[in-house]
Amino acid sequence: MGRAPCCEKMGLKKGPWTPEEDKVLVAHIQRHGHGNWRALPKQAGLLRCGKSCRLRWINYLRPDIKRGNFSREEEDAIIQLHELLGNRWSAIAARLPGRTDNEIKNVWHTHLKKRRGGPERGRHDAAGGGKKHKKPRSEKKPAAAAAAPASPERSASSSVTESSMASSVAEEHGNAGISSASASMSVSAKEESSFTSASEEFQIDESFWSETLSMPLDGYDVSMEPGDAFAAPSSAEDMDYWLKVFMEAGEVEDLPQI
DNA sequence: AACCCCTACAACCGCGGTGGT
DNA sequence: AACCACCGCGGTTGTAGGGGT
């Protein structure tokens, strides 16, 4: 397959984003959406590669991103989902509204991994799509690039799945500004009931998590019947069920011994 | 007060998948 | 059918900041 030349072009900026760049990117996406990431930086006048723009938007600038500490419930959910899905961070993120795969990945590696008992209990990596590789990266970031990335409005909390989200913002909210966009985000009625408004402190109750965890894994291939999805995934006894599912899907050799 | 170590997080890299031509 | 371009994902790294000594 063709490899995207991406950032290899010289002259493109790397490293931390400046507040100005953030502004430009957000404004451009709000106005035109992000139909084509590759073309976006050029159109927006950013000296970044499309990939970098996409990452910045998805992991940081998207209005529906909920920042701040993970609640205990969220952490538990991550652990549980990781048990089921392995390192499929995007799949996990899809079930944790307002959290990005990158963020979840970070949290996992920084504390959750330890919390559940030592590094890498088992081989979830394989379940997560199984990327191999990694030759060490020698030369990396140019220099500190002082500018600590600005943190735009961080109170946003809405839910909507990743893909639907960004485009709806881009297309529906002219120059509304990201914070107001977040307040009027389209959310499903079910989820809306679990989230307070964007300006209020994010509050999660038990029902939210049971609902979240029982949402079907739509769009994510875990090799199961949609109807079976997360019927009641709550404890180790369900592991047997999932083991069976994965077994049938032929992925079992990579699963940890539970 | 200075130094060192650790943690958290933003960002980059490279690959696989997919859709278009 | 083959090729190409792009998107999205997961792994990894660099750096800033905080805490401890």
Side-chain angles (χ1 to χ4, degrees):
Chain A
M1 299 299 128
R3 185 72 320 132
C6 194
C7 309
E8 74 192 18
K9 266 195 277 178
M10 298 309 291
L12 290 186
K13 200 174 161 206
K14 284 160 67 172
W17 281 66
T18 64
E20 287 73 27
E21 287 176 311
D22 284 346
K23 260 184 253 170
V24 171
L25 179 59
V26 169
H28 187 271
I29 289 177
Q30 284 178 348
R31 254 194 297 276
H32 306 103
H34 53 67
N36 186 346
W37 285 113
R38 203 175 165 73
L40 188 147
K42 201 178 290 182
Q43 294 165 356
L46 286 165
L47 286 173
R48 295 275 183 173
C49 69
K51 221 172 181 178
S52 182
C53 294
R54 178 182 158 273
L55 215 59
R56 183 64 177 170
W57 171 257
I58 287 179
N59 290 332
Y60 206 88
L61 300 174
R62 252 173 42 196
D64 62 323
I65 288 179
K66 171 162 49 112
R67 323 239 7 142
N69 296 335
F70 277 64
S71 66
R72 185 76 190 189
E73 288 84 358
E74 284 176 303
E75 292 182 350
D76 290 344
I78 291 170
I79 291 171
Q80 197 172 12
L81 288 165
H82 187 268
E83 287 282 346
L84 300 174
L85 301 168
N87 292 3
R88 284 140 119 144
W89 305 118
S90 60
I92 294 173
R95 307 183 66 78
L96 292 174
R99 300 298 190 181
T100 69
D101 54 351
N102 204 33
E103 201 177 7
I104 291 171
K105 191 165 57 181
N106 281 332
V107 169
W108 174 261
H109 284 124
T110 49
H111 37 280
L112 298 186
K113 196 162 72 176
K114 298 169 200 157
R115 199 170 97 187
R116 66 195 260 287
E120 283 312 59
R121 195 202 71 180
R123 292 227 44 249
H124 280 296
D125 303 44
K131 304 255 169 156
K132 18 42 208 309
H133 75 250
K134 263 346 168 185
K135 50 184 170 201
R137 275 196 293 156
S138 43
E139 40 83 37
K140 274 251 35 178
K141 296 194 175 154
S151 312
E153 317 306 325
R154 299 190 162 207
S155 56
S157 68
S158 113
S159 50
V160 190
T161 57
E162 188 142 335
S163 51
S164 64
M165 210 5 279
S167 51
S168 71
V169 183
E171 286 152 23
E172 292 170 17
H173 304 282
N175 287 327
I178 52 179
S179 49
S180 62
S182 69
S184 56
M185 211 100 277
S186 60
V187 291
S188 74
K190 181 174 86 176
E191 288 165 349
E192 196 164 21
S193 66
S194 299
F195 287 87
T196 55
S197 86
S199 57
E200 291 168 19
E201 176 142 349
F202 184 70
Q203 200 66 312
I204 300 175
D205 57 18
E206 297 265 20
S207 66
F208 166 75
W209 287 109
S210 53
E211 283 175 23
T212 299
L213 290 173
S214 61
M215 287 193 296
L217 284 167
D218 34 39
Y220 293 94
D221 176 21
V222 278
S223 306
M224 66 174 97
E225 295 299 315
D228 294 336
F230 283 77
S234 57
S235 63
E237 77 180 32
D238 293 299
M239 292 300 109
D240 289 335
Y241 167 76
W242 289 105
L243 190 60
K244 216 172 79 187
V245 170
F246 283 115
M247 224 181 255
E248 283 162 11
E251 294 183 32
V252 73
E253 66 266 25
D254 285 324
L255 284 175
Q257 199 61 19
I258 307 176

